[in-house]
Amino acid sequence: MQNDFIRIQEADFDLTTEVKALRKDDPRVGAVVTFLGTVRDMNDGSQVQGMTLEHYPGMTEKSLEEIITQARGRWDLYKTLVIHRVGPLLPEDQIVLVVVTSAHRGEAFAACEFIMDYLKTAAPFWKKEETPEGSKWVDARVTDDTAMARWS
Amino acid sequence: MKLELRFFASLREGLGLSGESIATPSEVKTIADLRGYLAQRGNPWAEVLASGKVIRCALNQEMVSDSTVLVEGAEVAFFPPVTGG
């Protein structure tokens, strides 16, 4: 039975549908934690009119599998789902969804946060934002490295 | 050594190239050697791969450091720090 699901897609997704599918026929589950990332209309003082997400096909999937493997080494999890969108996106659009199911909330909360922190620093995605001053590649944040370092 | 190079995001745009098959001379042994070797090609290579720039590298789709030793036939990717999520 497959327990980990990774999807890289241009299409939007529906949180309720995904959560329902992930915990279907699994009465062991007592906790479902989800993280939903969305596009903001401001970044580093610039108005963001839209963005394009590029990734490294092949490595993206491998790196996310590795992230899940590490999370499973730390916590008892039942199922995990990571959806990351690529291509053109607009403010308010959904970008990323992480869903973790487990028996108790502590593990699910921790694992969901770990997966997102790791994804931000290790999964090969890049954002290019369109602003009134032109388009520009987003700079990596030191705070993301700091967030990741907490787990080591 | 034969290598498959890949470039992403700002590096891909700066070089105007998403990938290239190359054969490197024997003195190119590590990731850092390869970066230096490519930077010697003149612009835009010298500018995009300048030593002050923070660039990440993957060998066969796994993140590696500058000192990692290259292997024959490997896929080597250069890209800026990641900004997904």
Side-chain angles (χ1 to χ4, degrees), chain A residues 85-149:
Chain A
R85 292 179 71 192
V86 292
L89 294 168
L90 295 170
E92 297 183 38
D93 277 353
Q94 307 189 116
I95 310 181
V96 59
L97 176 67
V98 177
V99 186
V100 176
T101 72
S102 63
H104 305 287
R105 70 183 184 284
E107 287 158 320
F109 270 126
C112 190
E113 188 167 27
F114 172 84
I115 290 167
M116 267 315 296
D117 283 350
Y118 203 127
L119 183 156
K120 294 283 272 188
T121 54
F125 293 99
W126 302 275
K127 288 179 184 138
K128 189 180 192 181
E129 292 174 341
E130 284 103 54
T131 72
E133 299 84 48
S135 59
K136 61 176 186 189
W137 291 97
V138 174
D139 287 327
R141 288 172 191 276
V142 174
T143 50
D144 288 335
D145 288 332
T146 314
M148 185 62 228

Side-chain angles (χ1 to χ4, degrees), chain B:
Chain B
M1 186 185 299
K2 284 185 179 161
L3 299 169
E4 289 294 323
L5 305 183
R6 308 284 303 271
F7 306 103
F8 291 94
S10 53
L11 271 72
R12 173 181 56 72
E13 280 191 351
L15 298 171
L17 191 70
S18 59
E20 180 186 356
S21 302
I22 61 163
T24 54
S26 58
E27 63 266 26
V28 175
K29 292 187 169 60
T30 65
I31 294 288
D33 294 343
L34 176 61
R35 181 170 165 179
Y37 172 73
L38 293 172
Q40 283 173 10
R41 285 172 158 180
N43 281 331
W45 299 87
E47 196 179 320
V48 171
L49 300 176
S51 54
K53 298 224 167 125
V54 180
I55 294 176
R56 303 275 189 250
C57 190
L59 181 72
N60 288 328
Q61 303 188 350
E62 281 187 21
M63 211 83 90
V64 291
S65 70
D66 284 357
S67 59
T68 301
V69 176
L70 298 163
V71 290
E72 178 70 33
E75 179 175 302
V76 183
F78 290 97
F79 43 79
V82 303
T83 56

Side-chain angles (χ1 to χ4, degrees), chain A residues 29-94:
Chain A
V29 174
V32 181
V33 170
T34 68
F35 173 81
L36 175 66
T38 58
V39 181
R40 287 177 300 138
D41 68 355
M42 283 294 273
N43 190 29
D44 290 336
S46 284
Q47 186 161 9
V48 177
Q49 295 157 326
M51 66 166 63
T52 305
L53 260 148
E54 176 174 334
H55 77 121
Y56 183 173
M59 182 176 169
T60 310
E61 291 81 356
K62 278 172 75 169
S63 67
L64 291 171
E65 282 165 19
E66 171 62 22
I67 292 168
I68 303 300
T69 301
Q70 291 212 21
R72 284 193 175 279
R74 288 166 178 255
W75 300 282
D76 282 329
L77 310 175
Y78 293 143
K79 294 188 180 180
T80 68
L81 166 71
V82 177
I83 300 177
H84 204 299
R85 292 179 71 192
V86 292
L89 294 168
L90 295 170
E92 297 183 38
D93 277 353
Q94 307 189 116

